Amino acid sequence: ELQTYLKKVTDSKIFVVRERTGKAFPIFLGGNSEAKAAGLDVNQLADEGYFIVRSDNAVYILGKDHPTLSPEQNSWEQRYARGTLSGVYDFLERFAGVRFYFPGEIGTVAEKRGSILLPSSFHIVERPDYIARSYMSRDGEWYEKKSQYNGVKGYWLNLVRLRMEEVNIPYAHGLAHRSFDKRFGKTHPEYFALLPNGSRYIHNRPNFNYAPQLCFSSRIQEEIYRDAVSYFKGESSSVRGAHGSYGKFWGAAGGGKYFSVMPHDSFYWCGCERCKKITGSGSMTRSEEDCRKISNF
């Protein structure tokens, strides 16, 4: 990417080599020996951060990188360490005027300048203000016939060019995939939201989808806590039987150093006596005031 867009902007030959030749101005990519000699250590960076530095008449761009994954493998959501690549895109935007809106000729701006002017020295240490940076738009149709760029699918290429998140933070409906219905449906029905007819919201039924819905006044909280402890101990989800629709692994509940305790979709407030004290009878539709009470709870 750096070679391609520097060539377009400068209209010059840009060579990729393994070692400094002394014949051209060098840009060093990654945490290599040259970067270390310049005093740059990726271990000093914040998560997903990178250096862009000019020192001793050379530029260094480096961040934490995954040892084996790269964009053309088209990994799901491109979630892996790719700090150096993010630094490359930042460098191209800051100093070469390149703009990445979406892949392809129409969505990428790289005007021919003939040269790039750099300050005599700079030391940029960058990291994202938001660790959660993602979007989903997979139902649309790609605007041009070409769907891959040097082996990278257009949608995935856009994610890395826009420096979307490197780590999956499981924030949505994490409790939906812990098999609570199979684990406790028969032995502890009180763990599940009480419906007006006296039954429990354990399985899907007409007009009531997205089961199970939980009673957060019950001891299900203890089970959620124990699941989280097991996850952070590095245990398999099979130890607690805590796997759901994504197969026998933690799936949507966990990702890296995060564990999701978000309720299922179409959140239903339990109608048991303890939950009624929070906000009246069980329901899917609630007033803004009731939503605040539930949130505070």
Side-chain angles (χ1 to χ4, degrees):
E1 292 281 69
L2 184 63
Q3 181 188 40
T4 296
Y5 288 100
L6 285 182
K7 183 177 180 180
K8 287 186 176 183
V9 171
T10 65
D11 197 27
S12 302
K13 291 184 178 180
I14 308 295
F15 296 97
V16 177
V17 296
R18 290 189 174 274
E19 297 178 351
R20 187 197 297 253
T21 64
K23 298 179 180 179
F25 182 87
I27 300 178
F28 295 105
L29 298 182
N32 49 45
S33 59
E34 293 278 1
K36 291 178 181 178
L40 301 174
D41 181 4
V42 295
N43 294 317
Q44 297 177 349
L45 290 167
D47 289 346
E48 304 185 32
Y50 49 85
F51 291 112
I52 306 176
V53 175
R54 179 172 182 177
S55 176
D56 297 329
N57 209 29
V59 167
Y60 304 85
I61 304 174
L62 62 150
K64 296 177 182 178
D65 300 313
H66 194 280
T68 59
L69 294 179
S70 57
E72 67 274 9
Q73 292 169 278
N74 294 299
S75 300
W76 177 251
E77 298 293 335
Q78 299 283 26
R79 285 174 174 147
Y80 50 85
R82 42 184 164 78
T84 299
L85 182 60
S86 293
V88 163
Y89 291 128
D90 191 335
F91 177 84
L92 288 170
E93 291 177 350
R94 287 179 191 255
F95 299 114
V98 180
R99 294 293 178 266
F100 300 103
Y101 299 109
F102 50 88
E105 184 178 354
I106 298 175
T108 309
V109 178
E111 295 182 351
K112 186 183 297 184
R113 297 182 174 187
S115 63
I116 293 177
L117 301 180
L118 299 176
S120 58
S121 65
F122 49 83
H123 193 287
I124 299 167
V125 184
E126 186 61 278
R127 57 105 179 97
D129 291 324
Y130 291 91
I131 54 175
R133 309 177 311 282
S134 66
Y135 71 92
M136 289 188 179
S137 180
R138 286 186 289 275
D139 294 333
E141 186 171 324
W142 198 248
Y143 81 98
E144 62 180 8
K145 293 181 180 178
K146 185 177 182 180
S147 61
Q148 294 196 13
Y149 304 83
N150 295 320
V152 188
K153 294 181 180 179
Y155 183 80
W156 298 142
L157 180 59
N158 211 34
L159 292 181
V160 297
R161 284 181 169 177
L162 298 182
R163 274 103 77 192
M164 295 290 101
E165 62 193 23
E166 296 179 5
V167 177
N168 175 42
I169 300 177
Y171 50 84
H173 45 69
L175 297 181
H177 305 287
R178 302 282 58 82
S179 296
F180 290 127
D181 53 347
K182 296 181 178 63
R183 297 161 67 190
F184 307 114
K186 293 182 179 180
T187 57
H188 291 283
E190 73 277 10
Y191 286 178
F192 303 91
L194 182 66
L195 294 167
N197 64 5
S199 64
R200 294 284 176 169
Y201 203 144
I202 301 175
H203 306 291
N204 289 340
R205 58 193 67 201
N207 301 320
F208 289 94
N209 296 318
Y210 301 101
Q213 297 286 337
L214 306 178
C215 171
F216 290 97
S217 296
S218 70
R219 287 186 61 81
I220 190 67
Q221 293 193 44
E222 179 68 19
E223 302 297 347
I224 294 169
Y225 166 75
R226 290 177 178 177
D227 286 352
V229 170
S230 179
Y231 172 79
F232 285 120
K233 287 170 65 177
E235 295 177 346
S236 165
S237 61
S238 60
V239 172
R240 296 271 304 154
H243 43 255
S245 56
Y246 288 115
K248 292 188 176 183
F249 58 98
W250 287 104
K257 56 185 178 182
Y258 303 97
F259 186 83
S260 174
V261 294
M262 287 295 291
H264 203 342
D265 286 343
S266 294
F267 178 66
Y268 184 92
W269 186 246
C270 174
C272 75
E273 291 303 315
R274 295 178 69 181
C275 289
K276 279 184 179 180
K277 294 178 181 179
I278 306 298
T279 176
S281 61
S283 175
M284 285 184 180
T285 57
R286 294 170 293 276
S287 67
E288 186 174 336
E289 182 182 358
D290 286 345
C291 287
R292 289 197 193 98
K293 292 177 181 178
I294 292 171
S295 181
N296 290 339
F297 173 80

